[in-house]
Amino acid sequence: MRVILCSCNGLMNLPDFDFGVDIKLERYDNLCQQQPQINPDEKVVIAGCSPTIMERFFPNIDAEFVNLREHVFLVSHPVSKTKDLISAAIEKVRTSVPVKIKIFPINKKQAVVIGGGVAGIETAREIAKEGIPVIIIEKTPFLGGTVAKLDRLYPEGTPYSHTVLPLINALLKNNNINFHFNAEVSKVSGAPGDYKFEIITRPRGVIKCNQCGKCLDVCPIEVNDQGKIRKAIYYIPTYPNLYAIDFETCTRCDACVKVCPGKIDLNEKSVVKEAVACAAVVATGLNFYDVTRVGEYGYKRFRGIMTHLEFERAISSGSLKPRRVVFVCCAGSRDSHHLVYCSKICCFLALKEAKLVKDRYPETQVNVVAMDMRSYGNFEYFYNRLREQGISFIKGKPSEIFEREGNLIVRTEDLYTNELYEIEADAVVLSNGFIPDQNTLEKFSIKLDGNFPVYFENSNLGNPELPRAVFTAGSSTFPSGVAETLIDARKAAYSVLSLINREKIETKHPISLVNDEKCSICRMCISACPYNAILIVDEKIKIREDLCMGCGICASTCPAYASQLEWFTPASLTSHIRHLIKPGDILALLCKWSAYNATDMAAYEKLDYPENVKIIKVPCSGAVEPSHIIYALNRKVRGVLIGGCYPDACHYAKGNYRARAREGILKETLNLLGFDKKVVRLEWIGKDEAKKYVEIVKEMNR
Amino acid sequence: MRNYALFLGCTVPVRAQHYELAARGVAKELNIEFVDMPNASCCGFPIKALDAETSLLIAARNIGLASKMHLDIVTLCNSCTATLSDAQLKLKSKEFYYKFKNLGFSYPNEIRVRHFVRMLYEDIGIENIKRAIKKPLKSLSVIAHYGCHYMRPSYLYGFDDPEYPHTLDDLINATGATSIDYLDKKMCCGGSVLGVDEGLALTLANHKLSVAKKAYADALISICPFCTVMYEDNQRKVEAKFNITFGIPVLYYPQLLGLGFGLSQDAVGLKFNRIKTDSILEKLT
Amino acid sequence: MIDLKNTDPNFKWEIVKQEGGEDLLKCFGCSDCSASCPVRYFDERYNPRRIIRLTLIGIKNEVLSSPFLWFCAHCHACTERCPQGIKVAELINGIKNYAVAQGYYPSGLKAQLNLLNNQGRLYEVEEFDLKKRQKLGLPPIDKRIPEIAKIIEGSKVLKKVAQ
């Protein structure tokens, strides 16, 4: 085995070592300037400065880094300590399992875009114009999404035809787009680079059409489609140029068939189709929170209480000419009974609609009742303009909306005057919030855990090596306006393109592997995994290579040691500990994202701490298994410190909570075994909290 | 035969015995057995504003009594329901439980605490009540007053819709009478502030009595003796303060139900209702 | 004008320790509670949001000595609506309890405490009541429940009030 030493340009005067016959020592002055060649199948020990720096120069090899500079020289610990650290690392490497290279071939050079709204159209256009075929899967019969239902965009009020139609025309210039309308993805299988989609397409009912509208004259069914009245057979002038039948309201009376024979098939059936792609973009857009659940606001109980969309469509189509309108912001948002978070755009959706109605009917009284007005950036100017138009803003949260003698009443306190108002209105518009598209994302095994914005890609931010081939664009990520959505869509498109132009995704990041012989399929790992990365396939536990983040939580949970993290197996950790510690030492198992970095900081801040502290870097505080702690205690360490990220800040979502849960049980066990509870400590140490780390180890040494 | 421990509280057994009479009469018709709780005290509500924890301990003691009897509790008053339910939730906290035990009490089995009317809705059900009606009260139209602690706070009860409640209306309609829909159904009677500011309490009571008058209601249906103190006992005072006449009888729901079951006016204690119920009886003959 | 250096920033921590006061700090002053309150609807001198605000800022004397603190009818209209999940009625009750410990309470409550202490009930059970029950065919009830006095004795605050 090679042991590569660096003197850090002479800073570290390393003594002569003798680690045995099978160890080949190599000395360098500046590993950061010049690195020796290391073959991909070698296991080595590299001793120099902090691995946080060293890892840059030795990517993609199986190496155990020993931190001599920050952990010995810069903190003035005795030079003899370097021997202990290096020999322990050698023993660890002897038993370590090398990290396999994971390959994800990019087979199907085409992309799937789920959603045909503004985000989907733009993403598809950017991808298709580079010659890559795109499949668009749209839930409704027409392109355009929410924007096509609106008369105007916010906040200036430009009509949607300025945006959606040119985008669609530009999209259609490409011939390599495959559309599925009235379609939804029912199943996703495969891996990044090679996905297979099962698509269910519901019937449209209209085969050929020249948009003459004769069917509209005879259709007897009227539907209130979110504020606009239409028939069961209808048309949205985007794409395709075919009417569509809403089979949920159609009574199959055949009236349309009679005036348009041969072009309408009321008996059309649903079909299941398949598509393949190397990457997917989820662009399913705005998902409205059902504001019926906010019982006190009377939505659907009293006439005249509407959502933004319904209000705008009613005003634009001329079916509503209110004299007194009240807008209620935060209806069901920032509320522990409904949506706890703020959906960002609903404030200026309210402002937009307020401007819409005031522009059209200047005599109309408009009141906006809001707890806060989140009009960031240029929207503040917009907010000012509306006040100058005579729109009244009341700071408060209405307690109730009801009907009395034919008028809608909004009851609210005005925080500025301390008075209680009952505001009469003909129309009340509720600013409802939005929810993430759990349904679609789940199909890709993406666990949201109540997180919104959907930054699941963020969980990979700390490690760009991880294979990603699913992206979100536009309001699927978080409710956004059209301008933001278009930019987001382009970014998603470029993410897809950079993937498609490669042959394969290749990574060497450590993941957990399952030994089927030891596994009893108890499934504890499945619930422990924060990433939904563990499944049962063919009656065996399978850890998905594309989703596993290498946190080690399943490995430390597995009672049979069947799941083990590459390079960080229990056996190698035991070996590392055995050779690292001496009686009277303090063993510090520190998480690599935060606590470990605090020890480097301690060196840079020139803090003194006792030399009997021996540090092992672990992937996560949740990856530490109690048996290792007890092992160390049995070898007469003075104490064991487990350092992790602060609650709610764990790099792996909830690893540190696991550690905390184990701590309670461990302390009871320690008590039974006769150890003092204070001998094991679980502490949250931030990456800059060098002083906190030093204080803790000094305390443990007393 | 269903068995429940009957918790009487303070007001009903001493100042509103006709309510107890009606409740027992109705229970008998429905094959329900009420087992008395010897040694049961006040629920603790009156001193909550002074010392919440002690009031909960007093309530918890009563729960302990029923728990030893292995029976769920049924109450006849909204405030009792609230305080006992609160205490029951509180018994889950270690600290409180130890204080409770240190006073020498015990809570061997978990039991439920529910208002009598809720029990009728959940355990008997509307259909069974309809079937037991012998004299449909078709000519009566009434105002249902739920009171505050029947379904609020919803985290405690999880019963009925706290914004647009309907269970009491359903139970009234089941007797054949019509429960009138009206605004501000959820408004408090003001009973809790009667001792603090009489004017305020009377103002609150006036609001609902005025609604009843405008709707030409034959009666106001209450399910809590505290509420009755406001709407019935203090009706004359409200009339005097606001210069208005009501003359609206106040019935306890079990009295209404009892009439529907064909029980005599004596059996439901109508002669003890402080606002005369002659107008109702006339309509029913 | 109130000079904030005359306020007691510790007051809110005291209330957090009270039974029911745990969620005090979550309040963001939206006024949903005040707009739902039936008492406030008729008498604007009682305003739950204002009481909570004063408590958070620490204008202790005004909160504790205010007669309007006792106007809360404990009807839970506020608890039901609070978007921060605060049990507002319980919080106001916690402030009431704190006020009692400092010696502020309406006399009617003292009378009720004495009744519970002596009898275990709010109403005295006399022979007349027992006879009435018997005539109506209702089972008898205890005249007194002395255990209640034992429970009340365990409370320092209540002992002070009862004196």
Side-chain angles (χ1 to χ4, degrees):
Chain A
M1 192 195 300
R2 291 160 72 186
V3 173
I4 299 164
L5 304 169
C6 182
S7 74
C8 194
N9 214 12
L11 169 70
M12 302 198 282
N13 199 352
L14 295 171
D16 289 326
F17 293 123
D18 178 11
F19 294 114
V21 180
D22 61 329
I23 303 295
K24 175 167 174 270
L25 286 170
E26 296 169 25
R27 289 174 185 266
Y28 289 84
D29 282 332
N30 277 311
L31 275 180
C32 45
Q33 312 277 8
Q34 192 193 31
Q35 298 90 41
Q37 181 80 334
I38 301 178
N39 292 329
D41 56 346
E42 283 187 80
K43 295 196 289 183
V44 299
V45 172
I46 303 178
C49 61
S50 172
T52 314
I53 303 169
M54 288 266 83
E55 276 167 0
R56 273 176 221 162
F57 304 105
F58 297 98
N60 293 331
I61 53 154
D62 291 315
E64 180 68 19
F65 294 95
V66 185
N67 190 343
L68 297 180
R69 189 179 76 176
E70 278 78 346
H71 283 178
V72 180
F73 285 88
L74 287 183
V75 288
S76 309
H77 286 185
V79 175
S80 55
K81 190 173 173 183
T82 56
K83 178 163 193 259
D84 300 329
L85 298 184
I86 298 174
S87 60
I90 291 171
E91 293 308 316
K92 185 219 158 132
V93 169
R94 279 198 216 278
T95 54
S96 281
V97 169
V99 180
K100 288 201 322 274
I101 296 183
K102 288 95 187 160
I103 300 182
F104 300 90
I106 311 283
N107 279 337
K108 319 285 194 280
K109 300 229 185 254
Q110 51 189 31
V112 154
V113 174
I114 305 178
V118 171
I121 295 170
E122 183 63 356
T123 311
R125 187 187 68 79
E126 286 282 344
I127 297 174
K129 82 179 202 301
E130 300 299 322
I132 307 291
V134 179
I135 298 152
I136 297 184
I137 303 172
E138 163 56 36
K139 194 162 72 171
T140 70
F142 299 97
L143 286 184
T146 307
V147 176
K149 294 189 186 157
L150 299 172
D151 184 43
R152 304 205 218 171
L153 310 175
Y154 76 91
E156 308 77 12
T158 49
Y160 84 86
S161 47
H162 278 197
T163 308
V164 175
L165 296 181
L167 279 179
I168 292 177
N169 289 346
L171 173 72
L172 293 173
K173 283 200 189 125
N174 302 293
N175 312 345
N176 48 0
I177 315 240
N178 206 333
F179 291 98
H180 295 256
F181 288 103
N182 266 347
E184 280 180 77
V185 173
S186 52
K187 207 167 118 196
V188 180
S189 54
D194 196 345
Y195 285 120
K196 192 160 86 172
F197 299 86
E198 191 183 87
I199 305 168
I200 297 185
T201 305
R202 286 167 279 109
R204 192 189 192 93
V206 173
I207 324 257
K208 282 203 205 134
C209 178
N210 61 2
Q211 294 101 66
C212 64
K214 273 194 264 185
C215 52
L216 293 180
D217 296 329
V218 298
C219 177
I221 309 291
E222 267 192 3
V223 181
N224 182 337
D225 183 357
Q226 289 180 297
K228 196 163 180 181
I229 311 287
R230 61 156 169 83
K231 297 286 179 88
I233 186 167
Y234 68 106
Y235 181 56
I236 295 179
T238 53
Y239 180 84
N241 302 105
L242 277 178
Y243 274 49
I245 295 179
D246 172 8
F247 280 107
E248 281 178 25
T249 49
C250 168
T251 53
R252 290 187 174 76
C253 66
D254 276 353
C256 52
V257 181
K258 292 199 184 95
V259 295
C260 199
K263 297 197 194 154
I264 298 179
D265 179 8
L266 294 179
N267 297 316
E268 200 183 333
K269 298 267 177 279
S270 292
V271 280
V272 178
K273 296 195 185 144
E274 267 182 17
V276 290
C278 69
V281 177
V282 174
T284 48
L286 290 172
N287 231 353
F288 296 82
Y289 179 68
D290 181 11
V291 80
T292 323
R293 302 171 69 153
V294 187
E296 62 260 39
Y297 287 168
Y299 179 66
K300 293 231 167 100
R301 192 178 278 270
F302 303 111
R303 272 194 69 209
I305 303 181
M306 311 169 242
T307 62
H308 300 126
L309 194 58
E310 292 168 348
F311 180 71
E312 169 153 351
R313 279 154 72 79
I315 296 279
S316 306
S317 66
S319 65
L320 180 65
K321 297 188 176 76
R323 287 175 303 113
R324 303 161 299 176
V325 186
V326 176
F327 288 87
V328 173
C329 293
C330 283
S333 293
R334 300 175 64 196
D335 188 328
S336 62
H337 308 300
H338 303 285
L339 302 179
V340 181
Y341 54 82
C342 162
S343 292
K344 183 176 120 191
I345 62 171
C346 9
C347 268
F348 20 83
L349 286 181
L351 294 183
K352 173 185 98 156
E353 309 301 342
K355 183 165 197 293
L356 176 72
V357 72
K358 198 71 172 164
D359 282 349
R360 204 166 272 226
Y361 306 110
E363 300 301 311
T364 299
Q365 255 179 48
V366 179
N367 282 300
V368 177
V369 186
M371 285 199 277
D372 294 291
M373 189 49 71
R374 302 210 155 164
S375 49
Y376 62 82
N378 287 344
F379 297 120
E380 189 68 22
Y381 301 127
F382 191 59
Y383 178 35
N384 282 330
R385 283 228 313 275
L386 291 187
R387 287 207 292 280
E388 290 169 15
Q389 246 183 311
I391 294 175
S392 152
F393 287 90
I394 297 169
K395 188 173 174 93
K397 183 176 199 298
S399 60
E400 223 177 325
I401 304 173
F402 54 95
E403 196 182 279
R404 187 169 65 204
E405 288 156 19
N407 289 318
L408 289 173
I409 311 279
V410 176
R411 191 182 277 163
T412 180
E413 215 185 51
D414 179 339
L415 286 171
Y416 294 131
T417 58
N418 230 11
E419 300 289 343
L420 184 65
Y421 298 158
E422 282 191 346
I423 311 174
E424 273 184 13
D426 315 317
V428 174
V429 185
L430 301 175
S431 261
N432 54 319
F434 303 94
I435 52 179
D437 185 359
Q438 186 86 36
N439 214 352
T440 308
L441 292 167
E442 250 168 27
K443 304 220 156 65
F444 291 95
S445 281
I446 292 167
K447 219 179 196 180
L448 281 180
D449 267 341
N451 285 327
F452 203 34
V454 177
Y455 283 151
F456 69 87
E457 293 168 49
N458 243 18
S459 59
N460 302 7
L461 260 183
N463 188 345
E465 304 286 321
L466 291 171
R468 288 187 297 153
V470 181
F471 310 95
T472 56
S475 295
S476 306
T477 314
F478 197 66
S480 355
V482 172
E484 294 159 329
T485 297
L486 290 176
I487 296 171
D488 202 31
R490 283 171 207 147
K491 286 188 195 166
Y494 302 145
S495 302
V496 170
L497 287 171
S498 75
L499 207 59
I500 284 186
N501 291 329
R502 287 147 66 170
E503 286 301 313
K504 55 184 181 241
I505 307 174
E506 202 177 283
T507 77
K508 199 181 151 75
H509 89 272
I511 61 170
S512 275
L513 301 174
V514 174
N515 181 339
D516 289 323
E517 278 167 42
K518 288 191 184 158
C519 173
S520 61
I521 319 189
C522 72
R523 284 177 273 204
M524 279 175 66
C525 51
I526 297 184
S527 46
C529 178
Y531 301 102
N532 247 4
I534 308 184
L535 316 160
I536 296 200
V537 174
D538 293 334
E539 289 171 30
K540 290 208 191 109
I541 295 283
K542 180 172 150 71
I543 299 181
R544 281 182 53 159
E545 288 181 350
D546 60 318
L547 292 178
C548 176
M549 292 275 283
C551 61
I553 293 170
C554 61
S556 62
T557 309
C558 178
Y561 293 109
S563 165
Q564 300 199 359
L565 193 54
E566 289 176 311
W567 198 251
F568 190 73
T569 56
S572 69
L573 180 58
T574 307
S575 188
H576 196 171
I577 294 175
R578 178 163 69 234
H579 291 95
L580 183 63
I581 57 177
K582 292 196 173 69
D585 276 349
I586 294 181
L587 174 64
L589 300 161
L590 306 178
C591 104
K592 75 185 198 189
W593 302 102
S594 63
Y596 186 86
N597 297 313
T599 63
D600 285 350
M601 258 331 236
Y604 305 138
E605 287 180 13
K606 300 206 199 296
L607 300 171
D608 271 327
Y609 62 90
E611 61 193 61
N612 64 344
V613 178
K614 302 281 176 62
I615 299 163
I616 294 183
K617 182 161 69 116
V618 301
C620 176
S621 54
V624 173
E625 224 215 311
S627 64
H628 285 114
I629 300 172
I630 296 183
Y631 179 78
L633 291 173
N634 275 333
R635 297 186 76 80
K636 301 199 172 33
V637 290
R638 201 180 188 132
V640 178
L641 167 67
I642 303 140
C645 306
Y646 278 88
D648 291 337
C650 177
H651 186 85
Y652 297 114
K654 295 200 170 108
N656 49 5
Y657 289 147
R658 253 187 201 249
R660 186 158 67 180
R662 285 180 194 149
E663 181 199 18
I665 305 171
L666 179 62
K667 292 216 160 145
E668 292 301 317
T669 315
L670 290 176
N671 220 1
L672 286 169
L673 292 173
F675 287 109
D676 181 353
K677 280 191 197 176
K678 288 205 261 310
V679 123
V680 175
R681 282 174 69 160
L682 171 65
E683 298 286 349
W684 312 130
I685 304 174
K687 65 172 180 29
D688 289 330
E689 294 191 303
K691 289 201 184 72
K692 183 173 179 181
Y693 158 71
V694 163
E695 250 176 57
I696 294 171
V697 293
K698 279 187 178 159
E699 258 175 46
M700 289 176 80
N701 234 346
R702 278 186 219 120
Chain B
M1 161 101 20
R2 296 171 192 269
N3 300 11
Y4 303 96
L6 181 65
F7 182 77
L8 295 170
C10 298
T11 319
V12 167
V14 184
R15 290 298 169 81
Q17 288 124 340
H18 49 310
Y19 285 5
E20 189 185 333
L21 189 64
R24 288 188 193 265
V26 159
K28 199 156 157 237
E29 287 294 307
L30 294 170
N31 224 5
I32 294 168
E33 186 185 330
F34 280 149
V35 181
D36 294 308
M37 291 175 62
N39 248 306
S41 68
C42 170
C43 67
F45 185 76
I47 58 164
K48 184 168 180 179
L50 295 172
D51 182 349
E53 196 181 63
T54 308
S55 94
L56 284 172
L57 284 169
I58 294 176
R61 172 185 164 272
N62 289 308
I63 295 185
L65 291 175
S67 165
K68 277 191 247 173
M69 294 156 73
H70 291 265
L71 290 173
D72 286 344
I73 289 181
V74 155
T75 61
L76 300 179
C77 160
N78 278 355
S79 300
C80 294
T81 316
T83 324
L84 292 180
S85 303
D86 254 330
Q88 197 191 27
L89 192 62
K90 197 73 189 170
L91 278 168
K92 295 200 175 133
S93 116
K94 260 198 212 157
E95 277 170 31
F96 183 78
Y97 187 68
Y98 285 148
K99 284 198 178 124
F100 171 73
K101 285 207 98 170
N102 283 341
L103 283 164
F105 306 133
S106 65
Y107 182 40
N109 321 287
E110 200 169 304
I111 52 160
R112 288 180 76 180
V113 174
R114 282 178 301 170
H115 191 290
F116 180 41
V117 171
R118 175 176 177 178
M119 181 273 270
L120 285 176
Y121 188 87
E122 285 186 334
D123 291 1
I124 309 298
I126 297 288
E127 291 307 310
N128 285 328
I129 289 181
K130 275 193 190 156
R131 258 178 247 139
I133 298 287
K134 297 196 186 71
K135 273 196 172 168
L137 311 171
K138 288 208 191 88
S139 46
L140 291 182
S141 68
V142 297
I143 290 281
H145 172 70
Y146 283 77
C148 298
H149 302 119
Y150 175 65
M151 72 234 163
R152 284 203 304 270
S154 57
Y155 71 79
L156 199 56
Y157 303 118
F159 171 67
D160 208 349
D161 181 348
E163 293 297 337
Y164 288 96
H166 61 88
T167 55
L168 181 58
D169 297 278
D170 294 345
L171 284 167
I172 291 172
N173 289 330
T175 65
T178 309
S179 180
I180 304 168
D181 194 22
Y182 64 100
L183 284 175
D184 289 330
K185 212 182 205 177
K186 308 188 290 282
M187 183 166 282
C188 175
C189 69
S192 299
V193 294
L194 185 60
V196 176
D197 187 307
E198 193 182 71
L200 172 66
L202 293 178
T203 310
L204 281 165
N206 173 52
H207 190 92
K208 197 156 277 196
L209 287 169
S210 298
V211 168
K213 182 180 161 111
K214 261 207 212 126
Y216 300 104
D218 296 308
L220 188 144
I221 306 295
S222 151
I223 54 173
C224 169
F226 255 52
C227 297
T228 310
V229 164
M230 288 312 303
Y231 294 128
E232 196 183 40
D233 299 12
N234 280 293
Q235 202 175 107
R236 293 277 146 71
K237 274 198 179 161
V238 178
E239 287 178 337
K241 182 177 161 90
F242 293 95
N243 208 10
I244 191 174
T245 40
F246 292 120
I248 299 173
V250 176
L251 289 185
Y252 189 53
Y253 176 73
Q255 288 185 310
L256 185 76
L257 187 59
L259 290 175
F261 284 165
L263 297 180
S264 73
Q265 49 164 309
D266 276 342
V268 296
L270 281 186
K271 73 174 180 223
F272 296 106
N273 286 39
R274 290 187 182 84
I275 306 276
K276 288 299 147 216
T277 52
D278 301 332
S279 52
I280 297 181
L281 293 169
E282 267 171 34
K283 271 206 168 178
L284 288 179
T285 42
Chain C
M1 201 210 48
I2 296 172
D3 190 341
L4 284 191
K5 75 165 180 284
N6 294 331
T7 58
D8 183 356
N10 222 21
F11 183 38
K12 55 182 179 285
W13 298 112
E14 301 281 290
I15 298 300
V16 168
K17 281 193 255 167
Q18 288 291 321
E19 181 79 39
E22 305 85 19
D23 294 328
L24 167 68
L25 300 173
K26 289 191 185 163
C27 177
F28 57 16
C30 68
S31 83
D32 209 337
C33 54
S34 292
S36 305
C37 179
V39 174
R40 187 251 178 275
Y41 187 80
F42 290 111
D43 189 344
E44 63 175 16
R45 298 173 301 172
Y46 172 72
N47 188 314
R49 173 181 52 85
R50 185 159 189 276
I51 293 175
I52 295 173
R53 190 86 199 117
L54 292 176
T55 306
L56 284 169
I57 297 201
I59 305 182
K60 191 166 168 176
N61 278 330
E62 190 177 328
V63 173
L64 296 183
S65 59
S66 164
F68 302 109
L69 176 61
W70 304 92
F71 275 33
C72 167
H74 209 75
C75 75
H76 283 290
C78 49
T79 310
E80 196 57 39
R81 298 261 171 82
C82 177
Q84 292 289 70
I86 303 170
K87 306 181 175 76
V88 183
E90 303 293 340
L91 169 57
I92 301 282
N93 198 72
I95 300 173
K96 283 181 189 171
N97 285 177
Y98 188 86
V100 172
Q102 308 297 313
Y104 299 95
Y105 52 86
S107 51
L109 282 182
K110 176 172 172 156
Q112 289 189 331
L113 173 65
N114 288 335
L115 284 165
L116 282 189
N117 218 353
N118 295 333
Q119 285 146 189
R121 276 208 201 85
L122 271 190
Y123 297 101
E124 208 176 324
V125 178
E126 294 169 10
E127 278 306 318
F128 168 74
D129 301 300
L130 290 175
K131 281 218 185 82
K132 198 167 159 198
R133 285 184 70 82
Q134 206 184 20
K135 257 187 18 188
L136 287 173
L138 297 172
I141 51 173
D142 300 307
K143 268 193 161 171
R144 294 180 65 235
I145 298 116
E147 277 200 298
I148 303 306
K150 196 176 104 192
I151 301 177
I152 291 176
E153 210 181 306
S155 158
K156 275 189 263 167
V157 172
L158 292 180
K159 272 209 335 227
K160 239 174 75 183
V161 174
Q163 278 162 2

